[in-house]
Amino acid sequence: MPTAPNQHLGHDGASYPDAFYVRRGEHEFLSTLHSQGAWQPGEQHLAVAAGLILAEAERRLPSDKLVSRVSFDVLGVIHSGPFTIDVRMVRPGRSIELIEASMRHGDQVSIQARIWRLAASDTTQVQGCEWTPMPPPDAMPPLSFSSVWGGGFIASLEARRSADARPGRGQSWIRTSCPLVEGEIDPPVAGFVKLVDTANGLAVRADPNAVFFANVDLTLHFTRQPEAGWVGFDTRVSFGPTGLGETFSVLSDIRGPVGTAAQSLTVRLRGE
Protein backbone atom coordinates (compact mmCIF):
# COMPACT_ATOMS: atom_id res chain seq x y z
CA MET A 1 0.00 0.00 0.00
CA PRO A 2 1.45 3.43 -0.94
CA THR A 3 2.32 5.58 2.06
CA ALA A 4 0.03 8.59 2.57
CA PRO A 5 1.14 11.71 4.47
CA ASN A 6 -0.89 12.39 7.60
CA GLN A 7 -2.89 15.56 6.91
CA HIS A 8 -5.84 14.92 9.24
CA LEU A 9 -6.96 17.98 11.18
CA GLY A 10 -5.52 17.35 14.66
CA HIS A 11 -2.61 15.09 13.65
CA ASP A 12 -0.11 17.68 14.91
CA GLY A 13 -1.71 18.07 18.33
CA ALA A 14 -3.94 21.00 17.34
CA SER A 15 -7.55 20.97 18.48
CA TYR A 16 -10.19 19.49 16.18
CA PRO A 17 -13.97 19.09 16.43
CA ASP A 18 -15.81 15.97 17.57
CA ALA A 19 -16.85 15.22 14.00
CA PHE A 20 -15.34 13.20 11.18
CA TYR A 21 -15.17 16.10 8.71
CA VAL A 22 -15.23 19.88 8.47
CA ARG A 23 -17.02 21.47 5.52
CA ARG A 24 -14.88 23.97 3.60
CA GLY A 25 -17.30 24.78 0.78
CA GLU A 26 -20.29 23.48 -1.14
CA HIS A 27 -18.38 20.38 -2.31
CA GLU A 28 -15.12 20.55 -0.31
CA PHE A 29 -14.21 18.97 3.03
CA LEU A 30 -11.30 18.41 5.39
CA SER A 31 -10.83 15.15 7.31
CA THR A 32 -10.28 15.22 11.08
CA LEU A 33 -8.34 12.72 13.15
CA HIS A 34 -11.64 10.99 13.99
CA SER A 35 -11.81 9.74 10.38
CA GLN A 36 -8.32 8.19 10.46
CA GLY A 37 -8.09 4.68 9.01
CA ALA A 38 -6.74 1.55 10.66
CA TRP A 39 -4.13 0.43 8.12
CA GLN A 40 -1.97 3.60 8.13
CA PRO A 41 -2.15 7.02 9.86
CA GLY A 42 -2.39 9.14 6.70
CA GLU A 43 -5.55 7.58 5.25
CA GLN A 44 -9.25 7.90 5.93
CA HIS A 45 -11.38 4.95 7.00
CA LEU A 46 -13.71 3.81 4.23
CA ALA A 47 -16.62 3.61 6.68
CA VAL A 48 -16.95 7.35 7.29
CA ALA A 49 -15.88 8.25 3.75
CA ALA A 50 -18.72 6.07 2.45
CA GLY A 51 -21.18 7.68 4.84
CA LEU A 52 -20.18 11.17 3.72
CA ILE A 53 -20.45 10.29 0.02
CA LEU A 54 -23.98 8.95 0.52
CA ALA A 55 -24.93 11.95 2.67
CA GLU A 56 -23.81 14.36 -0.05
CA ALA A 57 -25.68 12.43 -2.75
CA GLU A 58 -28.85 12.62 -0.66
CA ARG A 59 -28.30 16.31 0.16
CA ARG A 60 -27.68 17.44 -3.42
CA LEU A 61 -30.24 15.17 -5.10
CA PRO A 62 -33.09 14.95 -2.54
CA SER A 63 -35.86 12.46 -3.27
CA ASP A 64 -38.67 10.51 -1.63
CA LYS A 65 -37.22 7.34 -3.19
CA LEU A 66 -35.46 4.87 -0.91
CA VAL A 67 -31.84 3.73 -0.99
CA SER A 68 -31.92 0.10 -2.16
CA ARG A 69 -28.29 -0.59 -2.93
CA VAL A 70 -25.09 1.39 -2.58
CA SER A 71 -21.66 0.20 -3.65
CA PHE A 72 -18.24 1.75 -3.06
CA ASP A 73 -15.17 0.79 -5.07
CA VAL A 74 -11.82 1.84 -3.60
CA LEU A 75 -9.57 3.00 -6.44
CA GLY A 76 -6.57 3.98 -4.31
CA VAL A 77 -5.49 5.28 -0.93
CA ILE A 78 -8.23 7.42 0.67
CA HIS A 79 -5.95 10.34 1.47
CA SER A 80 -6.36 12.50 4.56
CA GLY A 81 -6.65 16.27 4.40
CA PRO A 82 -8.71 18.26 1.86
CA PHE A 83 -10.89 16.57 -0.75
CA THR A 84 -13.97 17.06 -2.95
CA ILE A 85 -17.21 15.06 -3.32
CA ASP A 86 -18.67 14.92 -6.85
CA VAL A 87 -22.28 13.79 -7.47
CA ARG A 88 -24.28 13.25 -10.67
CA MET A 89 -27.57 11.66 -11.68
CA VAL A 90 -26.92 8.82 -14.16
CA ARG A 91 -30.40 7.41 -14.64
CA PRO A 92 -33.34 9.61 -13.58
CA GLY A 93 -36.82 8.12 -13.35
CA ARG A 94 -40.17 8.30 -11.59
CA SER A 95 -39.73 4.94 -9.83
CA ILE A 96 -36.05 4.01 -10.21
CA GLU A 97 -32.93 6.18 -10.32
CA LEU A 98 -29.17 5.67 -10.29
CA ILE A 99 -26.66 8.14 -8.86
CA GLU A 100 -22.88 8.15 -9.16
CA ALA A 101 -20.69 9.90 -6.62
CA SER A 102 -16.98 10.01 -5.91
CA MET A 103 -14.33 11.29 -3.53
CA ARG A 104 -11.57 13.22 -5.27
CA HIS A 105 -8.18 14.49 -4.03
CA GLY A 106 -7.16 17.00 -6.70
CA ASP A 107 -7.20 14.96 -9.91
CA GLN A 108 -7.08 11.59 -8.12
CA VAL A 109 -10.32 9.70 -7.35
CA SER A 110 -10.09 7.38 -4.35
CA ILE A 111 -13.70 6.11 -4.11
CA GLN A 112 -16.34 5.61 -6.79
CA ALA A 113 -19.92 4.99 -5.60
CA ARG A 114 -23.17 3.96 -7.29
CA ILE A 115 -26.50 4.39 -5.51
CA TRP A 116 -29.80 2.84 -6.58
CA ARG A 117 -32.94 4.52 -5.20
CA LEU A 118 -36.39 2.97 -5.67
CA ALA A 119 -39.89 4.35 -5.21
CA ALA A 120 -41.57 3.38 -1.94
CA SER A 121 -44.76 1.33 -1.86
CA ASP A 122 -46.82 -0.40 0.83
CA THR A 123 -45.76 -4.06 1.00
CA THR A 124 -46.45 -4.68 4.69
CA GLN A 125 -48.81 -7.58 3.94
CA VAL A 126 -46.02 -9.58 2.26
CA GLN A 127 -43.00 -8.44 4.27
CA GLY A 128 -40.69 -11.03 5.78
CA CYS A 129 -37.09 -12.21 5.90
CA GLU A 130 -35.12 -15.30 6.88
CA TRP A 131 -32.51 -13.52 9.01
CA THR A 132 -32.48 -14.27 12.73
CA PRO A 133 -32.73 -11.15 14.93
CA MET A 134 -29.64 -10.43 17.01
CA PRO A 135 -29.49 -10.06 20.79
CA PRO A 136 -29.64 -6.37 21.80
CA PRO A 137 -26.43 -4.42 22.49
CA ASP A 138 -26.81 -4.57 26.27
CA ALA A 139 -26.83 -8.39 26.09
CA MET A 140 -23.25 -8.41 24.75
CA PRO A 141 -20.06 -7.57 26.67
CA PRO A 142 -18.07 -4.43 25.71
CA LEU A 143 -15.34 -4.87 23.10
CA SER A 144 -12.01 -3.04 23.33
CA PHE A 145 -11.88 -2.42 19.59
CA SER A 146 -8.72 -0.28 19.85
CA SER A 147 -6.81 -3.22 21.33
CA VAL A 148 -6.89 -4.84 17.86
CA TRP A 149 -6.98 -1.82 15.52
CA GLY A 150 -5.40 1.61 15.65
CA GLY A 151 -6.53 4.92 14.19
CA GLY A 152 -8.80 7.76 15.20
CA PHE A 153 -11.94 6.27 13.66
CA ILE A 154 -11.76 3.07 15.69
CA ALA A 155 -11.04 5.15 18.81
CA SER A 156 -14.31 7.06 18.23
CA LEU A 157 -16.45 3.92 18.48
CA GLU A 158 -18.30 2.15 21.27
CA ALA A 159 -18.38 -1.57 20.49
CA ARG A 160 -19.93 -4.75 21.86
CA ARG A 161 -19.37 -8.32 20.70
CA SER A 162 -20.97 -11.67 21.50
CA ALA A 163 -19.15 -13.79 24.05
CA ASP A 164 -19.10 -16.77 21.66
CA ALA A 165 -17.35 -14.87 18.84
CA ARG A 166 -14.43 -16.69 17.23
CA PRO A 167 -11.93 -15.86 14.46
CA GLY A 168 -13.95 -15.30 11.28
CA ARG A 169 -17.39 -15.42 12.92
CA GLY A 170 -19.25 -13.23 15.39
CA GLN A 171 -22.07 -10.86 16.22
CA SER A 172 -21.32 -7.25 17.16
CA TRP A 173 -22.87 -3.84 17.76
CA ILE A 174 -21.14 -0.47 17.32
CA ARG A 175 -22.07 3.20 17.55
CA THR A 176 -20.42 6.62 17.71
CA SER A 177 -21.30 10.05 19.02
CA CYS A 178 -19.44 11.82 16.18
CA PRO A 179 -21.49 13.25 13.28
CA LEU A 180 -20.17 13.08 9.75
CA VAL A 181 -19.76 16.86 9.37
CA GLU A 182 -19.22 19.43 12.09
CA GLY A 183 -22.45 21.33 12.84
CA GLU A 184 -24.61 19.15 10.54
CA ILE A 185 -27.12 16.37 11.26
CA ASP A 186 -26.46 13.06 9.54
CA PRO A 187 -29.12 11.91 7.06
CA PRO A 188 -30.57 8.70 8.61
CA VAL A 189 -29.26 6.18 6.06
CA ALA A 190 -25.86 7.85 5.81
CA GLY A 191 -25.65 7.91 9.61
CA PHE A 192 -26.04 4.13 9.53
CA VAL A 193 -23.74 3.54 6.54
CA LYS A 194 -20.86 5.50 8.13
CA LEU A 195 -20.24 2.53 10.47
CA VAL A 196 -20.73 -0.46 8.18
CA ASP A 197 -17.19 -0.84 6.77
CA THR A 198 -16.02 -1.86 10.26
CA ALA A 199 -17.37 -5.38 9.54
CA ASN A 200 -14.01 -6.54 8.20
CA GLY A 201 -12.38 -5.70 11.53
CA LEU A 202 -15.04 -7.05 13.88
CA ALA A 203 -14.60 -10.79 13.26
CA VAL A 204 -10.97 -10.97 12.20
CA ARG A 205 -9.88 -14.36 10.95
CA ALA A 206 -6.14 -13.66 11.34
CA ASP A 207 -3.85 -11.30 13.26
CA PRO A 208 -3.59 -8.10 11.16
CA ASN A 209 0.07 -7.85 12.19
CA ALA A 210 0.70 -11.14 10.36
CA VAL A 211 -1.85 -10.97 7.54
CA PHE A 212 -2.97 -8.00 5.42
CA PHE A 213 -6.64 -8.32 4.44
CA ALA A 214 -7.92 -4.91 3.35
CA ASN A 215 -11.17 -4.68 1.42
CA VAL A 216 -11.28 -3.14 -2.05
CA ASP A 217 -15.02 -2.50 -2.05
CA LEU A 218 -18.18 -2.34 0.05
CA THR A 219 -21.65 -3.24 -1.25
CA LEU A 220 -24.84 -2.85 0.79
CA HIS A 221 -28.39 -3.98 0.02
CA PHE A 222 -31.34 -2.81 2.11
CA THR A 223 -34.80 -4.33 2.59
CA ARG A 224 -35.91 -1.27 4.58
CA GLN A 225 -34.36 2.06 5.47
CA PRO A 226 -32.20 1.70 8.59
CA GLU A 227 -32.30 3.89 11.67
CA ALA A 228 -29.04 5.54 12.74
CA GLY A 229 -27.64 4.68 16.16
CA TRP A 230 -26.45 1.20 17.05
CA VAL A 231 -25.41 -0.82 13.97
CA GLY A 232 -25.51 -4.60 14.32
CA PHE A 233 -23.35 -7.12 12.44
CA ASP A 234 -23.80 -10.87 12.09
CA THR A 235 -20.51 -11.47 10.28
CA ARG A 236 -18.62 -14.25 8.52
CA VAL A 237 -15.06 -13.78 7.20
CA SER A 238 -13.64 -16.23 4.64
CA PHE A 239 -10.12 -16.47 3.17
CA GLY A 240 -9.48 -18.57 0.06
CA PRO A 241 -6.20 -20.33 -0.90
CA THR A 242 -5.08 -17.83 -3.56
CA GLY A 243 -5.22 -14.41 -1.90
CA LEU A 244 -8.96 -13.75 -2.21
CA GLY A 245 -11.38 -13.27 0.67
CA GLU A 246 -14.82 -12.00 1.61
CA THR A 247 -16.45 -10.46 4.65
CA PHE A 248 -20.25 -10.90 4.63
CA SER A 249 -22.62 -9.44 7.23
CA VAL A 250 -26.33 -9.36 7.90
CA LEU A 251 -26.91 -5.81 9.14
CA SER A 252 -29.35 -4.71 11.84
CA ASP A 253 -30.51 -1.54 13.50
CA ILE A 254 -32.11 -1.53 16.93
CA ARG A 255 -35.45 -2.72 15.41
CA GLY A 256 -33.99 -5.77 13.64
CA PRO A 257 -32.36 -6.89 10.38
CA VAL A 258 -32.25 -4.30 7.57
CA GLY A 259 -30.03 -5.80 4.84
CA THR A 260 -26.58 -7.14 4.02
CA ALA A 261 -23.04 -5.95 3.40
CA ALA A 262 -20.24 -7.64 1.47
CA GLN A 263 -16.56 -6.73 1.19
CA SER A 264 -14.05 -8.22 -1.27
CA LEU A 265 -10.68 -8.77 0.44
CA THR A 266 -7.14 -8.83 -0.86
CA VAL A 267 -5.35 -11.27 1.45
CA ARG A 268 -1.55 -11.23 1.73
CA LEU A 269 0.89 -12.63 4.24
CA ARG A 270 3.02 -9.88 5.75
CA GLY A 271 6.48 -9.71 4.26
CA GLU A 272 5.45 -11.10 0.86
Side-chain angles (χ1 to χ4, degrees):
M1 175 184 292
T3 301
N6 192 344
Q7 302 182 79
H8 292 293
L9 185 62
H11 80 278
D12 55 358
S15 62
Y16 58 98
D18 285 331
F20 296 114
Y21 300 104
V22 173
R23 186 181 292 277
R24 303 179 72 196
E26 179 65 15
H27 303 159
E28 292 78 36
F29 300 86
L30 180 65
S31 67
T32 77
L33 202 57
H34 288 306
S35 70
Q36 184 181 48
W39 292 107
Q40 62 169 315
E43 67 179 355
Q44 298 179 45
H45 201 288
L46 175 58
V48 284
L52 180 64
I53 290 170
L54 179 59
E56 283 298 287
E58 295 274 74
R59 182 181 72 86
R60 295 184 214 172
L61 296 172
S63 171
D64 57 1
K65 298 180 184 67
L66 307 178
V67 176
S68 170
R69 191 211 74 179
V70 55
S71 62
F72 304 92
D73 289 311
V74 182
L75 307 183
V77 174
I78 310 171
H79 289 279
S80 58
F83 61 90
T84 301
I85 301 292
D86 300 313
V87 176
R88 72 185 185 98
M89 179 68 72
V90 176
R91 194 266 194 201
R94 287 184 296 178
S95 60
I96 298 173
E97 59 190 20
L98 176 63
I99 297 167
E100 285 189 347
S102 61
M103 176 178 285
R104 176 170 50 83
H105 316 264
D107 294 331
Q108 180 181 356
V109 174
S110 61
I111 305 171
Q112 187 72 51
R114 290 169 69 87
I115 304 154
W116 283 103
R117 297 195 300 199
L118 311 181
S121 64
D122 185 358
T123 54
T124 53
Q125 64 180 351
V126 295
Q127 70 176 333
C129 75
E130 299 301 320
W131 301 318
T132 303
M134 287 175 48
D138 58 9
M140 296 185 187
L143 169 65
S144 179
F145 211 1
S146 291
S147 66
V148 180
W149 297 102
F153 174 65
I154 297 299
S156 77
L157 304 177
E158 177 186 356
R160 295 177 175 270
R161 186 168 65 188
S162 58
D164 61 351
R166 62 181 187 271
R169 182 75 177 94
Q171 294 182 326
S172 312
W173 290 95
I174 62 171
R175 67 179 176 181
T176 182
S177 61
C178 292
L180 283 165
V181 181
E182 180 188 21
E184 300 182 16
I185 297 173
D186 292 349
V189 181
F192 184 92
V193 168
K194 75 182 183 184
L195 298 174
V196 172
D197 189 65
T198 54
N200 190 36
L202 284 167
V204 293
R205 176 162 289 281
D207 182 351
N209 293 310
V211 182
F212 178 80
F213 49 93
N215 55 300
V216 299
D217 75 341
L218 171 66
T219 300
L220 299 86
H221 289 89
F222 292 114
T223 56
R224 66 172 172 84
Q225 300 300 265
E227 296 180 4
W230 283 106
V231 178
F233 302 80
D234 189 348
T235 300
R236 294 167 171 81
V237 180
S238 302
F239 294 168
T242 57
L244 307 181
E246 184 201 36
T247 296
F248 178 82
S249 302
V250 175
L251 303 173
S252 296
D253 64 10
I254 205 66
R255 296 198 294 122
V258 298
T260 62
Q263 297 158 294
S264 179
L265 312 181
T266 174
V267 184
R268 308 174 213 160
L269 301 183
R270 295 287 193 179
E272 291 190 356

